[in-house]
Amino acid sequence: MKTLYTLLIIAITFTLVACNKETATTQTDVMNTMLTNKNWYLDYSITGTATKSYVGQSTYFVTYLKDGTTKDSDGLTGTYSVEVIGNQSQIHVQVKTANGNPLEVIYNIISVGASNLVLSKVVSTGTPTQLYFTNK
Amino acid sequence: MRAARLISNKFLLLFSIVSIAASSLSAQTLTKKQQDSAYLVNPGQERIRKIKKSFAKSFVNFVGNDVSLFGSLVLSKQNINDNGITVPLNYLYNTVNSNTFNPGYSGGFRIDGIYKEKHRYSLSFAVNRISAGNNYKNKHSLSPFIDDFTHFKADNNFTTLSVAAHYKKLLPVNAMNKYKFYAVFGPSFDYKISSISSENLINRAGRKAIINGDFGAEFDNKGYYVLFAHYKLGTNLFQSALPVQLNRFEIGMSIKAKDLF
């Protein structure tokens, strides 16, 4: 009888503890879902104290596709990946320059949602530019 | 060719009948060993008998147990504190925050009895379909970009299995031999059986086990049926990056199983 009670307690404990677990890709999967297959229109860019507004102009947009490719309104194409390094979520974009040289551009994801995206361009020197996009 | 197939089929049928008959005959004829074991105690049955005896001995003071089936309307709202969420997601506050009690439903069975002929109690087991309104306690903003957003969108449609143990205090109201009013209180426990969304797995925010404190009132109409109204205040059983407070009102009716079947 004692064994039965012990087994019952072990079973209940296991049931309680064995809940769904976060995997290494959960966070990036969710961010990818928010990010992909939308045209992200640039509304603002801020560098230091200088703010530029593009609201209503729809001059520049970028699209991240589910197949891992990206393109922008200037015709620039490449591939991208969402990564979490340390606690920082980032978009790594690989493009080719006009003369065919590979170039990696990294953006820190400040915030991503269904209709708002805020990125900060990672730069080795100088002030980073924050880019604010909306999905119209 | 056709005749040969017919004969073959008939032969197979005959063989099957003979096999079944032979096996049934052999089942009726017990071997010496089987005859001996029939007189001996069956270990499985003996174990069940012991468990039943042990239960009866343990719960000797729990008498007058009536099993009832119940169904109820459940109005739910959850208060969500997303301060512990570090992932850079944004959900526009006005699109996810409703701050209302949304309707769901619940059904199950309960056992009502008396402990030591003095203390009335009920034990209930239920399946609950919760559809909770969301009240996000924190608003964030990314000035001048985004006003009022949350970092988290809580699952608000889920199914739980629950168990509740309530103490029932008979209230001296009205003609107590006909109608009985009870004040009830006690703990209950919910376990989410529906899957947790990916968004709720981030930072291990979504938890499956909920512990509640319940109180309410019940009206027993001459033992024909019981009308009840319960309030449940629940929280995650285990610590989470996202403390959720689940408020529920249950309004329902229970009828004794023996009156139904």
Side-chain angles (χ1 to χ4, degrees), chain B residues 104-154:
Chain B
Y105 54 89
S106 175
F109 70 95
R110 56 185 266 177
I111 302 162
D112 290 81
I114 304 174
Y115 176 67
K116 285 191 174 177
E117 298 182 354
K118 196 177 174 187
H119 305 290
R120 291 167 196 274
Y121 66 86
S122 72
L123 282 173
S124 58
F125 303 88
V127 180
N128 311 285
R129 183 65 189 157
I130 308 291
S131 176
N134 294 321
N135 176 29
Y136 290 88
K137 290 192 165 181
N138 308 303
K139 285 180 186 176
H140 308 276
S141 66
L142 259 174
S143 181
F145 298 146
I146 318 170
D147 286 332
D148 297 346
F149 68 89
T150 73
H151 288 304
F152 187 79
K153 187 175 138 192

Side-chain angles (χ1 to χ4, degrees), chain A residues 15-16 22 27 110-113, chain B residues 87-90 189 191 201 203:
Chain A
T15 309
L16 291 176
E22 179 184 358
Q27 188 172 325
I110 308 298
S111 191
V112 57
Chain B
V87 68
L89 295 174
N90 71 69
F189 170 77
Y191 189 77
L201 290 175
N203 290 160

Side-chain angles (χ1 to χ4, degrees), chain B residues 46-107:
Chain B
E46 179 63 12
R47 181 161 286 179
I48 290 167
R49 197 182 62 78
K50 273 185 180 173
I51 290 169
K52 277 185 178 174
K53 200 176 170 184
S54 167
F55 263 78
K57 207 174 169 183
S58 303
F59 297 102
V60 70
N61 291 319
F62 295 82
V63 293
N65 292 316
D66 283 319
V67 178
S68 309
L69 299 183
F70 71 88
S72 62
L73 170 75
V74 184
L75 299 169
S76 321
K77 183 174 89 169
Q78 52 188 358
N79 297 321
I80 301 144
N81 183 345
D82 69 347
N83 271 345
I85 302 296
T86 54
V87 68
L89 295 174
N90 71 69
Y91 301 91
L92 296 180
Y93 189 83
N94 289 336
T95 61
V96 293
N97 190 67
S98 59
N99 199 15
T100 53
F101 281 89
N102 289 354
Y105 54 89
S106 175

Side-chain angles (χ1 to χ4, degrees), chain A residues 1 4-5 15-16 18-22 26-27 30-31 34 44 46 89 109-116 118 130 132, chain B residues 51 54-55 58 87-92 142 144-146 149 189 191 195-196 198-199 201-204 208-209 237-238:
Chain A
M1 203 59 198
L4 190 76
Y5 283 133
T15 309
L16 291 176
C19 53
N20 290 3
K21 295 283 189 290
E22 179 184 358
T26 307
Q27 188 172 325
V30 172
M31 286 192 286
M34 299 275 201
Y44 297 98
I46 296 182
S89 305
I109 300 176
I110 308 298
S111 191
V112 57
S115 57
N116 295 284
V118 183
Q130 283 202 348
Y132 174 65
Chain B
I51 290 169
S54 167
F55 263 78
S58 303
V87 68
L89 295 174
N90 71 69
Y91 301 91
L92 296 180
L142 259 174
F145 298 146
I146 318 170
F149 68 89
F189 170 77
Y191 189 77
S195 59
I196 295 178
S198 301
E199 288 152 315
L201 290 175
I202 297 172
N203 290 160
R204 300 190 67 200
K208 289 208 157 194
L237 180 62
F238 297 110

